[in-house]
Amino acid sequence: MAQPLPKEDMVITSQLRSRPVPPLDPKQGQILLEGAIAQIHKASQEFLQAVVDAAKMVGGEDDRCIAGISLKTSGPKQEQDLRTVALSDPRSSFTGTELPLLECPSSLLPEGQEVILLHRPQSSFVHFLPDDRPIEELLMVPFGSGSDRGGVLWLAAYGEHRFHQGQADLLVLLAKQGGLIHKSAREREYLAELVQRTDRSTLLDQLPIGIAKLDQEYRYTYLNDQAIASLHIRPEELLGRSVWEVYPTVAGTFVEDAYRSAMEDRVVNSIELYFEPVETWFDVEAHPAEDGGIVVFFYNADQRKRSESELSSLLESAERQRRYYTTILTTTPDFAYIWGADYTFLYANKALLDLYGLTEEEYVGHSFRDVGYPEWHARMHEQEMDEVIRTGKPLRGKIPFQAKGGSGIYDYIFMPVFGPDGKVEAIAGTTRDVTALERSAETLKEADKRKDEFLAVLAHELRNPLAPLRSGVDLLREDTSPEVLQQAQDIMSRQIAHMVHLVDDLLDLSRVNRGAIELRKAPISLRDVLDLALETVRPLIQDRKHHLHLELGGSSLTVNGDITRLAQVFSNLLNNAAKYTEPGGDITVRVLQQDGTATITISDSGIGIDQQDLAKVFEMFAQVDRKSDRAKGGLGIGLNIVQRLVKMHGGTITAASEGIGKGSDFTITLPLEEQEVSSPQTAPKAKTAIQPLRILIVDDNVDAAFVLSMLLKRLGHEVHATHGGEQAIEVMEGFKPEVVFLDIGMPGMDGYEVCRRMRRLPDTEGCRIVALTGWGQEEDKARTKEAGFDEHLVKPTDKGTILRLLAEFSAQRG
């Protein structure tokens, strides 16, 4: 007797749903069933053989599967045995073998379950289907359920063959219908046996079908036991009464037509009837009788109707899946297709047909060359198909393509379609237009290249000022004479200013990209803007001995803008003109008024711009090929910032040049403003004499804190420096500073928290707390204000700004 088995060791029914199901012919089940039904009039054993042959076709036509029917029988001691009564290979000596039920895999089939899939059943059921080849999978469904001859219809697979849900559904359908037909065949054989040993009345009462005799007036004259049981009525309620009297609802219906035709025309009529009085389906046959009446045979058809309904549902489900797949393949923009092994198309979806401008009839059944593939393209795909057929593995590729309906770059994948014999019988594929994706990748690649170039330039430009700064420090270590000291200070001051300019450019670029720049617009004089810009750049122009020409006839015009940002625009352009013009060259600033706009052109006689570079001078990370570009310095992002700032003011900027060595022109147009310029308010001047203040410096950068402390001490202030938040809070209470310079990005307690805690201390109401930090974005300034800071200074801060701030604090203290 087999030992109890854990389900996970053998029962793998749940895997059926997860396995891929190849396309199924919706009529396949009906074809298999009709093939078996064709044997209905043969002996029950012959019919069983027809059923297993059909089951074998479900598994495949090769020798990797074998099907069989095993029925229950009673052993000598009334124990349940299982007897194999039919095999798809009739030559097998296993046919007729009887085994105890508990030594057969069917003992694992739970009551009421339609299907069970077992993995390697012979590992435990060693006597089941002995064969030299081990069984890999066994698919079983109940056969003849509900009868004393019930059992299983099974399908066994050898080797690597795997069953799927579609095969299980077909096997269930075959078993249900076949079981009913086999039961009827057994009943006919049983009836034939009865005829040999019983009289006629006894025989009719023992028949499993209902029989009723009607005379020429359609009155009941005889009913056998099955008829009485089927109609749920006593014999005395029917005998001697007409059909129409007992069942008035059938009068005038197709039932009356069938009965009268059999009675009057002496023909046999068959009908299908749902008989409402007993809520049962019947197959009814009306036969003319020898005495002029009719004999009515009626068979209970409930099981058949349920099976037909299940078959209809199965076919409807298959048709629904076909519609789903067709809808997906028709609406997808990808090309989907199937090729036969002979290189001809078996299927092409709408997208592919539209590409070639062909109909399905013009495409399916034709080769690559027939539908317009170039010879090289056809030969390449044929070789790829051969490889898929040979290896049984998918293949992927990418190709430039051109057809009647379009062209581009296409990515494709070919997948093998396996037949029942495990060989590749077709190739399915999809192709996707990746032209836009490829172009985007090229664009990103180019942008990444520009970014790398930009970072290289940034590193170069940051090293340029660092070199003289380090040399200046080394020089001061060696020589502190007044002349050397002044020279080193001048050099270091210029280089620090240059580094600050580079950092400001980077910050402006970040702000513009994030949309964080807020323009403070007001009606302003264009002359004021240009004066500010010229004031910034004039030292460089003078140093290089350029000839500056100003044609400012329209400079009294008014525009609506942010004076700081517009001055930044023009100073950037003037700075470029000065850098890229050889010493002694010409720079011209010209202002004109035209059609409600102001046109400002900055021209130079410098090195010029190559024609092919004009289109990209304003691009991010782009640097035009100027021979002296590296020598002049710069990150190549200034013009991009300029263009965006001009656009934010509603204007435009263009670049023009006749070529290398012929100078360049940058022209800006800005909309004019009709409002008058408001008088600028003069900022209050700081007092020259600053009263000594108690100042606390909090910065984790020891060098920065020390230098600022030394500077403030030389200016006469009382200074205390700390390097952490907790220490600053402790010093605060005893020192009681009037001004605190506080760093933000410190380890442990950051500057925001330090400021909040300082504000909670007693006697700090008059203390001015200044953020001195490298964080200079607008949101950073908003956070410091929210935390309780009075001012926000961005590192590096020049001495003049600190003095101005201290003068204001001193004046407010009074």
Side-chain angles (χ1 to χ4, degrees):
M1 181 178 294
Q3 298 298 318
L5 296 169
K7 285 187 177 182
E8 58 269 23
D9 288 348
M10 181 175 294
V11 181
I12 58 171
T13 314
S14 59
Q15 294 184 16
L16 284 172
R17 291 288 180 189
S18 61
R19 292 178 177 178
V21 180
L24 298 175
D25 184 350
K27 297 182 179 179
Q28 184 178 359
Q30 186 175 354
I31 293 171
L32 292 174
L33 189 59
E34 288 176 352
I37 292 176
Q39 312 295 322
I40 190 171
H41 297 297
K42 295 185 179 180
S44 60
Q45 183 57 44
E46 293 180 86
F47 176 73
L48 291 176
Q49 188 62 47
V51 171
V52 296
D53 290 343
K56 172 64 173 62
M57 292 179 64
V58 171
E61 297 183 0
D62 54 25
D63 62 351
R64 291 184 300 170
C65 293
I66 182 172
I69 294 177
S70 300
L71 300 179
K72 294 178 184 177
T73 183
S74 297
K77 299 180 181 179
Q78 300 303 312
E79 71 275 10
Q80 286 285 301
D81 290 344
L82 202 71
R83 182 171 182 264
T84 301
V85 296
L87 282 172
S88 60
D89 183 3
R91 296 168 298 177
S92 174
S93 59
F94 190 63
T95 304
T97 302
E98 291 188 10
L99 290 173
L101 182 61
L102 291 180
E103 294 186 15
C104 301
S106 58
S107 63
L108 297 180
L109 188 64
E111 186 70 26
Q113 184 165 326
E114 283 194 334
V115 63
I116 187 171
L117 179 65
L118 303 181
H119 176 65
R120 297 181 179 176
Q122 282 175 303
S123 60
S124 295
F125 301 103
V126 295
H127 300 298
F128 179 74
L129 197 60
D131 201 311
D132 294 338
R133 295 181 297 171
I135 299 172
E136 189 69 19
E137 291 192 351
L138 179 66
L139 187 64
M140 298 189 299
V141 299
F143 184 84
S145 180
S147 70
D148 58 353
R149 296 277 291 173
V152 292
L153 171 62
W154 49 265
L155 190 58
Y158 302 111
E160 298 299 320
H161 191 73
R162 297 290 184 270
F163 295 119
H164 54 73
Q165 188 63 48
Q167 292 170 314
D169 292 340
L170 290 175
L171 206 64
V172 169
L173 177 65
L174 192 61
K176 284 186 177 179
Q177 296 284 12
L180 293 175
I181 296 171
H182 176 250
K183 182 179 179 182
S184 297
R186 288 286 301 160
E187 289 171 347
R188 287 198 309 273
E189 292 171 352
Y190 178 65
L191 178 59
E193 294 175 6
L194 287 177
V195 170
Q196 300 299 321
R197 63 176 188 265
T198 59
D199 59 35
R200 183 178 178 186
S201 62
T202 303
L203 173 63
L204 292 178
D205 282 335
Q206 293 186 7
L207 286 177
I209 60 175
I211 303 175
K213 177 70 171 61
L214 306 180
D215 63 16
Q216 296 181 17
E217 300 300 325
Y218 300 98
R219 291 178 299 219
Y220 289 100
T221 61
Y222 171 79
L223 294 99
N224 72 343
D225 290 347
Q226 185 62 41
I228 294 170
S230 298
L231 296 175
H232 302 174
I233 196 169
R234 295 191 302 275
E236 56 269 23
E237 295 180 70
L238 289 177
L239 294 175
R241 303 175 66 188
S242 71
V243 176
W244 332 120
E245 179 183 357
V246 181
Y247 301 111
T249 57
V250 302
T253 67
F254 67 95
V255 179
E256 182 177 352
D257 293 341
Y259 283 7
R260 290 191 183 280
S261 175
M263 185 81 74
E264 297 169 4
D265 301 332
R266 314 311 291 170
V267 295
V268 177
N269 286 320
S270 300
I271 59 174
E272 183 182 81
L273 167 67
Y274 180 72
F275 199 42
E276 290 186 357
V278 293
E279 299 180 345
T280 303
W281 280 96
F282 291 107
D283 289 328
V284 180
E285 292 183 3
H287 293 253
E290 295 178 359
D291 60 0
I294 59 174
V295 178
V296 179
F297 299 89
F298 46 96
Y299 310 83
N300 189 308
D302 270 350
Q303 286 185 312
R304 179 181 63 78
K305 290 296 290 184
R306 281 195 296 271
S307 296
E308 288 179 354
S309 177
E310 292 173 2
L311 174 61
S312 176
S313 297
L314 182 62
L315 296 178
E316 182 180 344
S317 175
E319 174 62 19
R320 183 166 56 251
Q321 288 186 2
R322 185 193 66 79
R323 291 198 306 271
Y324 292 164
Y325 297 148
T326 300
T327 299
I328 293 172
L329 293 173
T330 300
T331 57
T332 178
D334 294 348
F335 308 142
Y337 39 84
I338 301 176
W339 294 318
D342 59 352
Y343 311 135
T344 60
F345 283 92
L346 303 179
Y347 170 80
N349 73 338
K350 185 177 183 300
L352 185 56
L353 296 175
D354 291 345
L355 179 69
Y356 282 94
L358 299 175
T359 64
E360 187 174 359
E361 291 74 18
E362 293 171 324
Y363 213 93
V364 174
H366 296 277
S367 69
F368 298 108
R369 296 168 184 81
D370 295 336
V371 298
Y373 280 65
E375 178 62 29
W376 68 269
H377 196 175
R379 191 182 307 111
M380 182 188 75
H381 280 341
E382 288 171 353
Q383 292 172 352
E384 290 172 333
M385 289 174 62
D386 290 342
E387 182 178 348
V388 173
I389 293 173
R390 179 178 58 82
T391 64
K393 296 179 179 180
L395 181 147
R396 190 162 194 167
K398 190 182 295 181
I399 186 173
F401 188 69
Q402 186 165 4
K404 182 177 179 180
S407 61
I409 301 173
Y410 291 89
D411 181 86
Y412 60 88
I413 183 169
F414 299 160
M415 296 161 289
V417 179
F418 297 98
D421 59 357
K423 296 180 180 179
V424 178
E425 64 180 14
I427 293 91
T430 60
T431 298
R432 172 166 293 183
D433 185 347
V434 294
T435 307
L437 187 62
E438 288 288 313
R439 288 173 181 168
S440 297
E442 286 298 321
T443 301
L444 290 173
K445 189 175 180 180
E446 178 64 24
D448 190 58
K449 179 182 176 183
R450 291 183 186 176
K451 180 202 68 176
D452 290 342
E453 292 175 353
F454 166 75
L455 291 176
V457 173
L458 176 60
H460 175 272
E461 294 304 325
L462 288 175
R463 289 191 186 101
N464 277 345
L466 286 174
L469 282 173
R470 171 171 286 178
S471 298
V473 171
D474 292 339
L475 180 61
L476 291 175
R477 285 175 178 162
E478 299 295 330
D479 190 349
T480 58
S481 63
E483 182 181 352
V484 171
L485 182 62
Q486 183 61 47
Q487 187 178 12
Q489 287 177 344
D490 292 343
I491 292 172
M492 295 171 73
S493 178
R494 284 196 301 272
Q495 297 306 319
I496 289 173
H498 181 55
M499 289 190 69
V500 170
H501 178 71
L502 293 175
V503 173
D504 285 343
D505 273 355
L506 290 172
L507 291 175
D508 278 343
L509 179 63
S510 174
R511 293 188 188 106
V512 170
N513 285 337
R514 294 182 296 109
I517 286 185
E518 294 184 7
L519 299 181
R520 295 179 174 87
K521 288 186 177 182
I524 54 175
S525 168
L526 193 56
R527 181 57 182 264
D528 291 342
V529 175
L530 293 172
D531 283 346
L532 282 174
L534 287 167
E535 181 182 346
T536 303
V537 183
R538 199 178 298 275
L540 178 60
I541 293 175
Q542 292 173 346
D543 182 60
R544 294 179 65 81
K545 297 180 174 57
H546 294 316
H547 302 292
L548 178 63
H549 307 282
L550 302 178
E551 300 176 12
L552 308 180
S555 61
S556 60
L557 301 175
T558 301
V559 296
N560 186 33
D562 184 320
I563 189 169
T564 302
R565 291 301 181 181
L566 284 179
Q568 178 183 350
V569 167
F570 292 114
S571 64
N572 187 293
L573 295 176
L574 286 166
N575 188 70
N576 282 350
K579 284 197 302 182
Y580 297 112
T581 299
E582 295 300 326
D586 294 309
I587 298 175
T588 302
V589 180
R590 183 182 299 107
V591 179
L592 297 174
Q593 178 181 358
Q594 185 178 10
D595 298 329
T597 61
T599 303
I600 307 96
T601 302
I602 297 176
S603 305
D604 64 66
S605 60
I607 65 174
I609 305 172
D610 194 291
Q611 292 295 310
Q612 65 182 6
D613 290 329
L614 279 173
K616 63 180 184 180
V617 293
F618 297 108
E619 291 181 8
M620 182 78 71
F621 301 145
Q623 293 210 359
V624 299
D625 185 17
R626 293 178 172 180
K627 294 180 180 178
S628 57
D629 193 8
R630 296 294 180 263
K632 303 302 181 183
L635 299 177
I637 61 177
L639 288 179
N640 182 267
I641 297 172
V642 164
Q643 183 188 50
R644 297 190 188 199
L645 288 175
V646 170
K647 187 175 181 180
M648 291 173 68
H649 282 84
T652 61
I653 181 171
T654 58
S657 177
E658 294 183 5
I660 299 297
K662 297 183 179 181
S664 55
D665 299 325
F666 284 86
T667 301
I668 292 175
T669 63
L670 293 171
L672 291 174
E673 180 75 10
E674 295 182 359
Q675 290 180 257
E676 294 184 1
V677 180
S678 57
S679 300
Q681 295 182 356
T682 304
K685 294 184 179 180
K687 295 179 180 180
T688 55
I690 304 175
Q691 299 179 14
L693 299 169
R694 289 189 307 278
I695 301 174
L696 175 63
I697 299 172
V698 186
D699 196 329
D700 61 313
N701 187 321
V702 177
D703 291 341
F706 173 77
V707 171
L708 180 58
S709 175
M710 292 296 294
L711 173 64
L712 294 175
K713 285 180 179 179
R714 284 184 174 274
L715 294 174
H717 301 288
E718 184 180 354
V719 183
H720 192 105
T722 64
H723 309 297
E726 294 288 352
Q727 185 183 2
I729 299 298
E730 294 175 4
V731 171
M732 188 82 177
E733 297 187 36
F735 184 56
K736 298 189 182 302
E738 297 167 280
V739 179
V740 177
F741 287 103
L742 176 58
D743 186 27
I744 298 296
M746 296 185 298
M749 188 187 305
D750 63 23
Y752 301 114
E753 180 61 24
V754 173
C755 181
R756 282 190 285 265
R757 292 181 59 174
M758 283 182 173
R759 290 301 186 195
R760 291 197 291 267
L761 294 174
D763 303 325
T764 60
E765 184 176 349
C767 180
R768 310 305 297 269
I769 304 179
V770 180
L772 187 59
T773 175
W775 301 101
Q777 306 289 1
E778 293 300 321
E779 56 265 33
D780 299 322
K781 295 178 181 179
R783 285 191 66 187
T784 55
K785 184 177 181 180
E786 182 183 355
F789 285 88
D790 296 290
E791 297 289 342
H792 186 114
L793 299 182
V794 180
K795 295 178 180 178
T797 304
D798 61 89
K799 174 183 174 183
T801 301
I802 294 177
L803 291 178
R804 176 187 57 78
L805 201 61
L806 292 178
E808 291 178 3
F809 293 164
S810 179
Q812 291 169 2
R813 190 182 66 171

